């Protein structure tokens, strides 16, 4: 399985952009980068995913480096409700689709 | 709201008992996944079903079993419960696991407490 490395925790000021990094140097050519978050024991929430191009949706932007060895999730204007554990996942096995969760990054948005 | 429904939300039971957790996937999703999250632990994949058939198995104990019914809802059966089985149990669904470009959506979970 491709491994991911994320910082265990980060702080961000409310209203500022939160940039969450993820390293995935062993990613294969056909593996997607997925981001989920989990707010205080709720079910994980899908945020965004991408292969090689940058992606944006109503929640966040995903920037993937050209060599695909790392990516950054950007929450453009963080709010207190964005405080959560953010998971970067790059292993989605073909024909199962299962997600292997690591430890993630705990993002604390502060007023 | 992800569209994935799990019942019950909370369950308290005694050691040695058996419980059944239920999951209704999003409309149109054919695949169901079960995950376990113990206190301060990560999300552990248990098992996956696709269109009624078992597709993948993770670290699921022999005391646990699951099935997916013709209407695509799924049940996770936990028997001979131990204190260590206390955890959050999440169900997720996706439309087609054969595509790498497919996201899964999670329910709000069932909190199981074994006393």
């Amino acid at each position: 399985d491709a491994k991911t490395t994320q910082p265990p925790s980060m702080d961000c000021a409310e209203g500022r952009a939160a940039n969450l990094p993820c390293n995935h140097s062993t990613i294969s050519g056909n593996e997607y980068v997925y981001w989920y978050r989990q707010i205080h024991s709720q079910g994980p929430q899908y945020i965004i995913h991408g292969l090689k191009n940058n992606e944006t949706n109503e929640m966040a932007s995903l920037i993937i480096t050209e060599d695909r060895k790392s990516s950054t999730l950007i929450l453009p204007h963080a709010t207190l409700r964005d405080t959560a554990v953010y998971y970067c996942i790059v292993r989605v096995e073909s024909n199962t689709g299962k997600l292997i969760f690591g430890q993630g990054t705990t993002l604390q948005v502060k007023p | 709201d992800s569209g994935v429904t799990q019942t019950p939300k909370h369950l308290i039971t005694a050691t040695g008992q058996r419980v059944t957790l239920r999951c209704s996937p999003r409309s149109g999703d054919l695949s169901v996944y079960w995950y376990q999250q113990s206190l301060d632990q990560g999300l552990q994949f248990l098992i996956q079903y696709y269109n009624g058939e078992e597709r993948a198995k993770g670290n699921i104990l022999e005391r646990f079993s699951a099935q997916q019914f013709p209407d695509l809802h799924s049940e996770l059966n936990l028997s001979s419960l131990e204190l260590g089985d206390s955890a959050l149990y999440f169900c997720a669904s996706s439309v087609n696991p054969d595509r790498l470009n497919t996201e899964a959506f999670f329910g709000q979970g069932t909190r199981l407490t074994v006393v």
Side-chain angles (χ1 to χ4, degrees), chain A residues 27-98:
Chain A
I27 192 171
S28 300
N30 63 347
E31 290 179 331
Y32 283 73
V33 179
Y34 284 77
W35 284 84
Y36 282 76
R37 73 180 182 184
Q38 187 175 26
I39 299 172
H40 189 55
S41 299
Q42 296 179 20
Q45 179 187 23
Y46 166 78
I47 302 174
I48 199 168
H49 74 282
L51 183 62
K52 58 178 98 172
N53 298 321
N54 298 338
E55 301 287 345
T56 295
N57 63 21
E58 66 279 3
M59 288 183 68
S61 295
L62 174 61
I63 308 298
I64 303 174
T65 59
E66 193 169 342
D67 63 8
R68 300 201 341 113
K69 292 185 177 181
S70 66
S71 60
T72 300
L73 178 74
I74 300 172
L75 308 178
H77 305 286
T79 71
L80 299 179
R81 288 174 296 180
D82 292 321
T83 293
V85 180
Y86 287 77
Y87 297 98
C88 168
I89 303 163
V90 296
R91 180 57 175 170
V92 180
E93 295 185 357
S94 60
N95 99 337
T96 71
K98 71 180 182 183

Side-chain angles (χ1 to χ4, degrees), chain A residues 30-32 34 36 38 40-46 49 87 92-103, chain B residues 31 33 35 37 41-43 45 48 55-58 88 90 97-98 100-108 111:
Chain A
N30 63 347
E31 290 179 331
Y32 283 73
Y34 284 77
Y36 282 76
Q38 187 175 26
H40 189 55
S41 299
Q42 296 179 20
Q45 179 187 23
Y46 166 78
H49 74 282
Y87 297 98
V92 180
E93 295 185 357
S94 60
N95 99 337
T96 71
K98 71 180 182 183
L99 304 172
I100 306 298
F101 287 81
Q103 295 305 305
Chain B
S31 193
Y33 310 78
Y35 286 79
Q37 187 173 36
Q41 296 295 310
L43 286 141
F45 169 74
Q48 177 205 2
R55 178 63 76 94
K57 202 173 237 188
L88 281 164
F90 291 106
D98 291 332
L100 287 175
N101 181 20
T102 181
E103 59 268 39
F105 294 89
F106 285 76
Q108 288 305 300
R111 181 178 294 278

